[in-house]
Coordinates of all heavy atoms in Angstrom, one line a residue:
G435 N -4.8 -132.3 103.5 CA -3.8 -133.0 102.7 C -4.2 -134.5 102.7 O -5.4 -134.9 102.5
H436 N -3.3 -135.4 102.9 CA -3.6 -136.8 102.9 C -2.6 -137.6 103.8 O -1.7 -137.0 104.4 CB -3.6 -137.4 101.5 CG -2.3 -137.2 100.8 ND1 -1.3 -138.0 101.0 CD2 -1.9 -136.2 99.9 CE1 -0.2 -137.7 100.3 NE2 -0.6 -136.5 99.6
G437 N -2.8 -138.8 103.9 CA -2.0 -139.7 104.8 C -0.5 -139.6 104.5 O 0.2 -139.8 105.4
G438 N -0.1 -139.5 103.2 CA 1.2 -139.4 102.9 C 1.8 -138.0 103.1 O 3.0 -137.7 102.7
W439 N 1.1 -137.2 103.7 CA 1.5 -135.7 104.0 C 1.5 -135.4 105.4 O 2.6 -135.5 106.1 CB 0.6 -134.8 103.2 CG 1.0 -133.5 103.0 CD1 2.1 -132.8 103.8 CD2 0.6 -132.5 102.1 NE1 2.1 -131.5 103.3 CE2 1.3 -131.2 102.3 CE3 -0.5 -132.4 101.2 CZ2 1.0 -130.1 101.6 CZ3 -0.7 -131.3 100.5 CH2 0.0 -130.1 100.7
L440 N 0.4 -135.1 106.1 CA 0.5 -134.9 107.5 C 0.3 -136.2 108.3 O 0.3 -136.2 109.5 CB -0.7 -133.9 107.9 CG -0.7 -132.6 107.4 CD1 -1.8 -131.7 107.8 CD2 0.7 -131.9 107.5
G441 N 0.3 -137.3 107.6 CA 0.1 -138.6 108.3 C 1.4 -139.1 108.9 O 1.4 -140.1 109.8
W442 N 2.5 -138.5 108.5 CA 3.9 -139.0 109.1 C 3.8 -138.7 110.6 O 3.3 -137.7 111.0 CB 5.0 -138.2 108.5 CG 5.1 -138.4 107.0 CD1 4.6 -137.8 106.0 CD2 5.8 -139.7 106.4 NE1 4.9 -138.4 104.8 CE2 5.6 -139.6 105.0 CE3 6.5 -140.8 106.9 CZ2 6.1 -140.5 104.1 CZ3 7.0 -141.7 106.1 CH2 6.8 -141.6 104.7
D443 N 4.4 -139.7 111.3 CA 4.2 -139.6 112.7 C 4.6 -138.2 113.4 O 3.9 -137.7 114.2 CB 5.2 -140.7 113.5 CG 4.8 -142.1 113.0 OD1 3.7 -142.3 112.5 OD2 5.5 -143.1 113.4
A444 N 5.8 -137.7 112.8 CA 6.2 -136.5 113.2 C 5.4 -135.3 112.8 O 5.5 -134.2 113.3 CB 7.6 -136.3 112.8
N445 N 4.4 -135.5 111.9 CA 3.6 -134.3 111.4 C 2.2 -134.3 112.0 O 1.6 -133.3 111.9 CB 3.4 -134.4 109.8 CG 4.7 -134.3 109.2 OD1 5.7 -133.8 109.6 ND2 4.7 -134.7 107.9
L446 N 1.8 -135.4 112.7 CA 0.5 -135.5 113.2 C 0.2 -134.3 114.1 O -0.8 -133.6 114.0 CB 0.2 -136.8 113.8 CG 0.1 -138.0 112.9 CD1 0.1 -139.4 113.7 CD2 -1.2 -137.9 112.0
D447 N 0.9 -134.2 115.2 CA 0.6 -133.2 116.2 C 0.8 -131.7 115.7 O -0.1 -130.8 115.8 CB 1.4 -133.4 117.6 CG 0.9 -134.7 118.2 OD1 -0.2 -135.1 117.9 OD2 1.7 -135.2 119.1
P448 N 2.0 -131.5 115.0 CA 2.2 -130.1 114.5 C 1.0 -129.7 113.5 O 0.5 -128.7 113.4 CB 3.5 -130.1 113.9 CG 4.2 -131.3 114.4 CD 3.2 -132.3 114.8
G449 N 0.6 -130.8 112.7 CA -0.4 -130.5 111.7 C -1.7 -130.2 112.4 O -2.4 -129.2 112.0
A450 N -2.1 -131.0 113.4 CA -3.3 -130.7 114.1 C -3.2 -129.4 114.8 O -4.2 -128.7 114.8 CB -3.6 -131.9 115.2
E451 N -2.1 -129.0 115.4 CA -2.1 -127.8 116.1 C -2.2 -126.6 115.0 O -2.9 -125.5 115.3 CB -0.7 -127.6 116.9 CG -0.9 -128.3 118.2 CD 0.5 -128.9 118.7 OE1 1.5 -128.4 118.3 OE2 0.4 -129.9 119.5
E452 N -1.6 -126.8 113.9 CA -1.8 -125.6 112.9 C -3.2 -125.4 112.4 O -3.8 -124.4 112.4 CB -0.9 -126.0 111.7 CG -1.0 -125.2 110.5 CD -0.3 -123.8 110.7 OE1 0.8 -123.7 111.1 OE2 -1.0 -122.6 110.6

Side-chain angles (χ1 to χ4, degrees):
H436 59 84
W439 192 345
L440 297 186
W442 297 93
D443 299 351
N445 294 342
L446 289 169
D447 289 342
E451 279 151 27
E452 176 71 53

